[in-house]
Amino acid sequence: MSGGTSTCSGPGEASDLKFPVGTRLREPLTEARFQQIFGVAAQEPELPAESRVPRLCRLWRRRVRACSGAGAWRLLLARLPPLRWLPHYRWRAWLLGDAVAGVTVGVVHVPQGMAFALLTSVPPVFGLYTSFFPVLLYSLLGTGRHLSTGTFAVLSLMTGSAVERLVPEPLTGNLSRIEREQLDAQRVGVAAAMAFGSGALMLVMFALQLGALSTFLSEPVVKALTSGAALHVLVSQLPSLLGLSLPRQMGCFSLFKVGTLAAVVTALPRGSPAELIISALSLALLVPVKELNVRFRDRLPAPIPGEVVMVLLASVLCFTSSLDTRYNVQIVGLLPGGFPQPLLPNLAELPRILVDSVPIALVTFAVSASLASIYADKYNYSIDPNQELLAHGVSNVISSLFSCFPNSATLATTSLLVDAGGNTQLAGLFSCIVVLSVLLWLGPFFYYLPKAVLACINISSMRQMFFQMQELPQLWHISRVDFAVWMVTWVAVVTLNVDLGLAVGVVFSMMMVVCRTQRVKCLALGLAEGTELYRPLRDGHKLLQVPGLCILSYPTPLYFGTRGQFRHILEWHLGLRGGKQSPKPDGLPNTVGEPVRVVILDFSGVTFADAAGAREVAQLASRCQDAGIYLLLAQCNASVLETLTRAGLLDRVTPDQLFVSVQDAAAHALAKLECTGPKICTVWV
């Protein structure tokens, strides 16, 4: 049903307004009349407490019966997504693509996992563990068909900063082998405890069904966070890149502290020329290869594995030239074969790492959920944010038993998996096979791999995050507010640190939302001649205004933050200031005419109202009643109308003043203003 305006005419009279073509007439509909006609079911009467008990028992028995056979199977289908997609798997069409994509991603996981382990301040082999267990678990529990999980640079940086703060390296330096092993064991324990803590927090969020929290981390916040963190990664890898032994700076303004950039520049003469040459050659190979993979992704049958080629070349060069002994080049060393013994992380560490686990859990969920939703929209399927919380929570908790550090979905490997032809989570199993073969058999081949090469892999993997800044001109063109959110978050991440930068970005983003609700312009409406449409008077259309009638549309939530603006607009427009002069609110036309006798408030844009806003409307109704102004409300949604009723609005207005549309309210208003005697007031439909 589409509404219209009213005509008021007596016998033999013609209306000045043009009727829309093909219209018919009906009486205006109030909310009460609409519910009566269209049969809204009456609510059941409130039962006394003693009669509610048998009813609750019956409901409980019904719930228990539902948890038998069929209910248990539905729960299993919801919690194990492979049971849903595996029966419909297209083996001939998808298997080859999943196998190629999984092997390709697994080959990249090996050097990247070891590189991000160094960023986490733990031995390289623990990066391989983190590239195996979480990937396997997510393949069984995740809903993102194109998502690749494992080590992620931002999480590794956040975890490494916390690890070095909680387990600092002794100032004396020159640790013996036993002392180094003890220090590494303590750091591995702290990193595993952080994985356990962040995973437990995500499981709590899953139990509370807080998957909708991902909406509070907007796209500008996530992109600015990863781009700013990439700069921290670059600076943290400079010592390894140049062969320097410098402590990592932590806390606020760490990039600008003495000992970071200034210390690197000062210590350059003491750097290792051999490692500097290795780093330069590695970057000279990795950066062009990544550029080729991006530019010719449609022509290449599979991405060029530049990281693997670089690892093999550097290992062979270091072995044949004895760079570790002749030039003191730092190498990876022996990678233990097999898996570590399952061990529960030291729970005594949980109170110390809780503050660090909260932002890690939020970043894990935000990045993973946003990546999963991007590819789900692209390939036309849906994800379950709450199931994603369960998948990543279980991945982190169980993998922490095998000394893994925090993990999540990764930008680079997810893009690589899609480009290589991956279709489902089955690609993750092929990736696990590659990492497993390295852990069981191929580990000794990485003994002579220079750590400088791993630092170069870390830096080159940040390419996609740095290039996100290219989107800023387009973001400025689309939305200045989102541009401001991006810049504030990026500056906060760079100048403070990743944790505080994330908090600043989220708070600033929420403040922008609040400011937008407070800067919304109230619109005065008029009738477009010859139609049933009411349009804003400032649009410049040829609109009709009825003397004494004021129609206002308030398109924003009505709560404690906007109640003052609401009161100011209504006082100015209805002349309720009691002779006091007040400035004209923005967005309202100069509608000077005879005093307002009827006012219609269009509440279709009021999505919610709190107690303060509802009381403001009730007080407005009282002031209108005292001033002789007839107040009508149109298009209140059910929750807003319920809140207004509880605030006492119906003590000041009658149900006949609540209408289902602006057109119906206008028909009633014109009847109040103009129609007398035998004249008929109708609505165009």
Side-chain angles (χ1 to χ4, degrees):
M1 177 184 67
S2 64
T5 188
S6 67
T7 63
C8 302
S9 55
E13 295 182 2
S15 172
D16 293 334
L17 300 180
K18 300 177 182 178
F19 283 85
V21 178
T23 58
R24 53 192 178 84
L25 305 177
R26 63 166 172 79
E27 295 182 358
L29 280 177
T30 63
E31 289 282 355
R33 179 63 176 163
F34 182 85
Q35 295 183 14
Q36 180 182 0
I37 293 175
F38 293 97
V40 176
Q43 296 183 353
E44 296 183 6
E46 185 74 14
L47 296 175
E50 58 273 9
S51 61
R52 279 194 228 125
V53 176
R55 184 183 180 187
L56 291 176
C57 292
R58 289 194 300 271
L59 291 175
W60 176 254
R61 293 193 197 99
R62 196 179 306 159
R63 183 69 59 86
V64 170
R65 285 195 298 269
C67 289
S68 56
W73 178 245
R74 285 194 299 270
L75 180 63
L76 198 61
L77 287 176
R79 298 296 166 249
L80 287 177
L83 295 178
R84 298 199 303 269
W85 59 261
L86 198 56
H88 306 286
Y89 188 83
R90 303 176 186 175
W91 293 96
R92 293 184 178 180
W94 291 351
L95 183 59
L96 181 60
D98 281 340
V100 172
V103 171
T104 304
V105 171
V107 167
V108 174
H109 266 317
V110 173
Q112 207 170 76
M114 292 190 290
F116 290 161
L118 295 183
L119 191 59
T120 315
S121 301
V122 297
V125 69
F126 294 95
L128 297 180
Y129 300 152
T130 310
S131 300
F132 176 79
F133 290 105
V135 177
L136 180 63
L137 292 168
Y138 185 83
S139 299
L140 300 176
L141 298 173
T143 59
R145 287 167 38 189
H146 297 85
L147 211 62
S148 174
T149 59
T151 56
F152 183 40
V154 176
L155 292 185
S156 297
L157 177 69
M158 297 171 68
T159 306
S161 299
V163 166
E164 294 205 2
R165 188 186 73 249
L166 298 174
V167 188
E169 189 165 347
L171 298 177
T172 56
N174 297 324
L175 301 178
S176 64
R177 184 177 62 84
I178 297 178
E179 290 173 337
R180 172 61 62 182
E181 290 177 355
Q182 291 175 348
L183 179 67
D184 288 341
Q186 292 177 6
R187 289 183 168 181
V188 168
V190 171
M194 294 186 69
F196 184 89
S198 60
L201 287 174
M202 284 186 280
L203 290 180
V204 171
M205 293 168 65
F206 164 74
L208 298 176
Q209 298 292 288
L210 297 180
L213 285 180
S214 61
T215 58
F216 292 100
L217 292 168
S218 63
E219 182 178 342
V221 171
V222 174
K223 289 189 174 181
L225 171 73
T226 54
S227 182
L231 188 58
H232 283 276
V233 173
L234 173 63
V235 173
S236 68
Q237 294 301 291
L238 286 179
S240 299
L241 211 67
L242 303 174
L244 301 174
S245 180
L246 295 174
R248 181 186 296 182
Q249 297 296 322
M250 293 163 292
C252 297
F253 309 104
S254 60
L255 289 183
F256 311 100
K257 288 181 179 178
V258 177
T260 309
L261 292 175
V264 169
V265 175
T266 305
L268 273 178
R270 296 185 283 107
S272 170
E275 293 192 345
L276 182 59
I277 294 174
I278 291 173
S279 300
L281 293 176
S282 300
L283 290 175
L285 174 66
L286 290 173
V287 173
V289 167
K290 284 188 174 292
E291 190 66 26
L292 288 174
N293 285 335
V294 172
R295 291 197 176 188
F296 300 101
R297 66 174 64 185
D298 297 330
R299 301 182 184 179
L300 293 173
I304 303 173
E307 292 90 346
V308 178
V309 174
M310 191 66 248
V311 165
L312 295 176
L313 291 178
S315 300
V316 171
L317 177 64
C318 185
F319 173 72
T320 56
S321 304
S322 301
L323 297 179
D324 56 325
T325 56
R326 294 173 61 185
Y327 299 102
N328 199 26
V329 172
Q330 299 181 31
I331 60 176
V332 170
L334 181 64
L335 293 178
F339 297 106
Q341 183 178 0
L343 182 66
L344 186 67
N346 186 6
L347 299 182
E349 298 285 349
L350 290 180
R352 291 204 301 162
I353 56 92
L354 184 60
V355 176
D356 300 290
S357 298
V358 172
I360 286 177
L362 293 178
V363 171
T364 298
F365 179 54
V367 173
S368 302
S370 60
L371 266 180
S373 61
I374 287 172
Y375 286 100
D377 293 340
K378 182 177 181 180
Y379 292 98
N380 196 26
Y381 64 91
S382 61
I383 64 165
D384 183 359
N386 289 307
Q387 180 66 19
E388 290 295 299
L389 278 174
L390 176 65
H392 290 288
V394 170
S395 296
N396 278 273
V397 168
I398 294 182
S399 63
S400 69
L401 305 180
F402 296 92
S403 303
C404 297
F405 48 85
N407 54 86
S408 73
T410 63
L411 304 175
T413 55
T414 297
S415 177
L416 181 63
L417 185 143
V418 174
D419 293 340
N423 297 289
T424 65
Q425 295 93 319
L426 196 62
L429 300 182
F430 289 101
S431 174
C432 290
I433 293 174
V434 175
V435 179
L436 179 64
S437 64
V438 173
L439 286 170
L440 296 180
W441 303 295
L442 303 180
F445 291 97
F446 297 95
Y447 183 93
Y448 289 98
L449 175 62
K451 290 185 177 180
V453 174
L454 297 180
C456 292
I457 293 174
N458 273 334
I459 293 174
S460 64
S461 65
M462 298 294 103
R463 173 191 175 280
Q464 187 176 2
M465 298 184 190
F466 282 125
F467 279 17
Q468 289 179 142
M469 301 188 75
Q470 294 179 338
E471 301 176 7
L472 287 179
Q474 182 184 12
L475 193 61
W476 171 267
H477 178 70
I478 296 174
S479 172
R480 307 287 175 84
V481 174
D482 286 344
F483 179 87
V485 171
W486 202 105
M487 291 303 301
V488 168
T489 305
W490 187 86
V491 171
V493 170
V494 171
T495 56
L496 301 177
N497 57 36
V498 178
D499 303 355
L500 289 178
L502 173 63
V504 169
V506 172
V507 171
F508 186 76
S509 178
M510 293 296 101
M511 288 298 297
M512 288 297 99
V513 174
V514 174
C515 290
R516 285 181 179 184
T517 63
Q518 293 181 325
R519 294 178 63 87
V520 170
K521 297 178 181 179
C522 185
L523 304 175
L525 306 181
L527 177 65
E529 185 177 4
T531 74
E532 74 281 9
L533 301 177
Y534 284 86
R535 303 293 297 171
L537 293 175
R538 61 183 177 85
D539 279 356
H541 300 139
K542 187 178 179 181
L543 303 176
L544 300 175
Q545 291 180 266
V546 178
L549 173 63
C550 176
I551 306 176
L552 295 176
S553 176
Y554 192 71
T556 189
L558 188 56
Y559 65 105
F560 65 92
T562 57
R563 60 177 295 189
Q565 178 198 45
F566 177 78
R567 182 194 313 120
H568 179 52
I569 290 173
L570 269 296
E571 285 177 347
W572 183 89
H573 225 292
L574 303 181
L576 298 178
R577 297 286 292 180
K580 298 180 182 179
Q581 296 296 324
S582 61
K584 182 177 78 70
D586 294 337
L588 293 179
N590 293 312
T591 55
V592 179
E594 71 175 60
V596 176
R597 296 165 53 195
V598 180
V599 59
I600 299 173
L601 294 183
D602 177 14
F603 271 20
S604 59
V606 180
T607 54
F608 72 90
D610 67 356
R615 282 195 290 266
E616 192 66 44
V617 176
Q619 292 172 9
L620 171 69
S622 295
R623 296 176 67 183
C624 287
Q625 190 175 22
D626 296 339
I629 298 175
Y630 192 57
L631 174 65
L632 304 176
L633 297 183
Q635 291 184 255
C636 284
N637 66 51
S639 62
V640 172
L641 188 58
E642 182 180 0
T643 305
L644 296 178
T645 302
R646 291 176 177 176
L649 177 66
L650 292 184
D651 296 336
R652 298 163 176 85
V653 300
T654 65
D656 292 336
Q657 293 171 252
L658 308 177
F659 288 86
V660 297
S661 70
V662 174
Q663 290 83 358
D664 289 272
H668 183 77
L670 291 179
K672 192 79 175 176
L673 289 171
E674 301 176 5
C675 295
T676 58
K679 295 183 179 180
I680 303 172
C681 295
T682 56
V683 182
W684 298 342
V685 294

